[in-house]
Amino acid sequence: MSAEADAPGFPLRDLEEMRRRARDVLAGNDLGTMVTAAPNLYPHMWSWDAAFVATGLSTMSVARALQELDHLLAAQWESGMIPHIVFSDVPGYFPDVERWGTRGASPEGVKSSGICQPPVHATLLRRIVERATAAGGEDARLAEEFTRRTLPQWIHWHAWLRTSRGGDGSGLLTIYHGWESGMDNSPRFDGPYSRVRPGKMEPFVRTDTLKVTDLSQRPSDEEYSRYLWLVQQMADVRFDDARLPGVMDFQVKDVFMSAIFAAANEDLAALAEHIGLRGDAPRLREWAQEFREGVDATVDEHTGLARDRDVLADVWIGLPTMAGFAPLISTADNALLRRQLEIFEGPDWMGDPRLAFPLPASTSTTYEGLKPRQYWRGPVWPVMNWYLAGCLRRRGDEERYRRLREASLAQLMEGHFAEYYEPFTGEPLGSMDQSWTAAVALEWLADPDAADAA
């Protein structure tokens, strides 16, 4: 546990103190043009982090929230890709822009990585626009102007995903690196990674293990060498989308990312209609249906969980990870939804009586490969709890949303806004003062009846 655990003010006394502390975290991580993902460990902007951070910022300032998304969009590549890292000038992070080799590929004056992350942006922008519209006045004007101005960029982003990563008719997006999933070292990717054989590359010195010194929480050096080999493979072909399928040693159809994309297309269609540009909505809804059906088709009839597909080995990946609940995000099949919820609330997941809080871990708590302290191999991630709860709320499932909110607020009362948490003890792990954790705390607290929780 962090040395801060015994410091004054921890745990938090009440929800109002949580609100102040969450605001302080975002303010402390704000460089003016971007809110870094976390101090020390993640001193830059991450694509899907930025979308969650913007929603949290919108509870305080819609203008600042939109500025955050503007900074991310300024890094969009000509192809339409939104890179997973936009680098600040803060040194000390590895792999840095030089290791990525993206100079000349990214926009002039922008330092970025060369891969993407899950496209949650339209969904969370819709959340911000709804908040601003309800507030009226200047907030509503700013949100509408921003949506009108940036809609072509968001559509360009979705079109790139649909064409470059999902153009084979499967209704599933291909990723070329586990980092693109956002769930970097999930057991989902053990099989595909096991077949990555790093060749000759420059030596490397990691910085993450200098800042999170409990090595049980981080990927191994062997895993990291595979991560860097994939970066080098992409850089060697200048991140050319047409050449990647022929050179990459890691190719996975990511079911969770595909579900996010399905939902985001619906939300982007709604935003287009909100500003009167109805002509774009039908194409976006066609993509939503295509990927919704693609996700549903992956479900294992025996386990009830959605599956990724290892493209190169031509096999399904059906390990019991959070990705198995992709249909909760996107499905229109009520029977499938009911079965998924039954599993989600069952003894292998939220219903495990050993849990510190009834919240889903990133891997089933009864999975033999569970590592409850290691990143995406077992810990509970607050940001995922909020995102999935929001998906349920959009379906009108207020009761389940409320239960997830109450448990999440109770978990966050320890006060560190950690990156992730040990599922059985509730210990905060990874980076403390994580921006997206603070952001979703502010979102939970923005509910009028949040005072009933925790």
Side-chain angles (χ1 to χ4, degrees):
M1 186 179 294
S2 165
E4 294 176 324
D6 297 323
F10 297 95
L12 303 175
R13 293 185 298 270
D14 55 39
L15 294 179
E16 190 52 44
E17 187 175 31
M18 181 188 290
R19 192 191 315 275
R20 290 193 297 270
R21 171 95 174 95
R23 288 174 172 174
D24 286 346
V25 167
L26 292 184
N29 294 343
D30 194 344
L31 300 182
T33 56
M34 69 167 74
V35 175
T36 61
N40 301 318
L41 185 57
Y42 305 115
H44 308 294
M45 170 183 273
W46 268 257
S47 172
W48 74 328
D49 291 60
F52 288 103
V53 167
T55 64
L57 289 170
S58 74
T59 67
M60 301 178 286
S61 167
V62 168
R64 181 65 188 86
L66 299 176
Q67 181 188 27
E68 194 73 7
L69 294 176
D70 250 337
H71 191 80
L72 179 65
L73 280 175
Q76 185 175 28
W77 287 24
E78 184 178 352
S79 64
M81 185 192 76
I82 295 178
H84 100 296
I85 300 175
V86 182
F87 290 98
S88 69
D89 293 328
V90 178
Y93 178 80
F94 180 84
D96 59 12
V97 68
E98 299 303 329
R99 189 75 182 215
W100 276 100
T102 52
R103 294 188 190 277
S106 57
E108 186 173 352
V110 170
K111 295 182 291 184
S112 80
S113 66
I115 60 176
C116 65
Q117 274 188 325
V120 295
H121 311 82
T123 296
L124 300 183
L125 175 58
R126 184 179 180 185
R127 170 73 173 149
I128 294 168
V129 170
E130 288 172 347
R131 170 170 286 133
T133 301
E138 182 67 1
D139 282 351
R141 187 193 68 78
L142 285 172
E144 181 167 339
E145 187 278 329
F146 176 86
T147 304
R148 190 176 300 279
R149 174 170 54 84
T150 63
L151 187 72
Q153 288 178 271
W154 298 120
I155 293 176
H156 193 27
W157 161 228
H158 282 217
W160 176 82
L161 286 164
R162 169 62 179 76
T163 303
S164 297
R165 299 304 187 87
D168 62 351
S170 67
L172 297 169
L173 299 176
T174 300
I175 60 172
Y176 295 116
H177 201 302
W179 287 347
E180 293 197 299
S181 73
M183 300 182 184
D184 306 9
N185 72 330
S186 171
R188 305 161 61 192
F189 307 126
D190 287 355
Y193 271 133
S194 72
R195 290 181 279 278
V196 175
R197 298 285 186 265
K200 185 178 180 180
M201 58 183 177
E202 294 180 23
F204 63 91
V205 177
R206 297 169 61 179
T207 58
D208 61 320
T209 51
L210 301 177
K211 294 166 183 175
V212 178
T213 55
D214 177 2
L215 299 186
S216 71
Q217 298 183 38
R218 305 297 298 176
S220 68
D221 284 350
E222 182 181 8
E223 290 173 293
Y224 226 83
S225 68
R226 292 182 176 127
Y227 301 160
L228 294 175
W229 177 244
L230 297 176
V231 170
Q232 183 166 314
Q233 286 189 307
M234 285 182 268
D236 285 348
V237 296
R238 302 299 299 148
F239 304 94
D240 184 335
D241 292 322
R243 296 175 67 187
L244 291 177
V247 302
M248 295 304 298
D249 290 341
F250 179 105
Q251 300 182 37
V252 172
K253 290 289 184 182
D254 184 333
V255 71
F256 200 78
M257 188 166 171
S258 300
I260 288 172
F261 185 55
N265 277 306
E266 288 284 0
D267 290 319
L268 195 54
L271 287 169
E273 290 170 342
H274 174 73
I275 59 173
L277 298 179
R278 297 182 180 275
D280 292 306
R283 175 173 55 143
L284 294 166
R285 290 211 162 90
E286 286 175 5
W287 293 346
Q289 181 175 345
E290 177 186 2
F291 283 82
R292 183 165 54 243
E293 292 174 354
V295 169
D296 286 358
T298 72
V299 174
D300 186 319
E301 64 179 24
H302 299 294
T303 68
L305 296 176
R307 298 172 292 178
D308 302 299
R309 189 161 186 86
D310 185 333
V311 174
L312 298 179
D314 195 24
V315 294
W316 290 108
I317 304 169
L319 295 175
T321 73
M322 181 174 284
F325 295 107
L328 293 183
I329 300 169
S330 60
T331 192
D333 183 332
N334 287 329
L336 173 56
L337 178 64
R338 287 192 298 272
R339 188 178 184 196
Q340 284 253 305
L341 288 170
E342 182 180 355
I343 299 167
F344 191 58
E345 296 176 330
D348 296 332
W349 295 90
M350 288 173 56
D352 188 331
R354 299 173 296 162
L355 289 170
F357 303 95
L359 295 167
S362 47
T363 299
S364 168
T365 55
T366 58
Y367 173 52
E368 61 183 8
L370 175 74
K371 294 187 177 179
R373 298 178 62 82
Q374 192 182 110
Y375 214 41
W376 287 98
R377 302 184 76 87
V380 174
W381 287 71
V383 69
M384 285 293 95
N385 299 335
W386 180 78
Y387 177 75
L388 289 173
C391 293
L392 293 173
R393 188 179 222 184
R394 284 287 178 95
R395 297 179 182 279
D397 196 339
E398 195 69 25
E399 178 57 32
R400 285 189 173 90
Y401 169 85
R402 186 183 183 89
R403 289 203 301 266
L404 284 165
R405 185 192 64 195
E406 290 173 355
S408 295
L409 287 173
Q411 179 187 58
L412 295 175
M413 285 299 289
E414 58 80 34
H416 291 89
F417 298 108
E419 189 175 6
Y420 45 91
Y421 289 78
E422 211 278 357
F424 306 118
T425 67
E427 178 184 355
L429 299 172
S431 177
M432 303 299 125
D433 291 350
Q434 192 82 9
S435 291
W436 68 357
T437 306
V440 299
L442 290 172
E443 274 285 1
W444 290 122
L445 293 168
D447 281 353
D449 55 350
D452 297 337

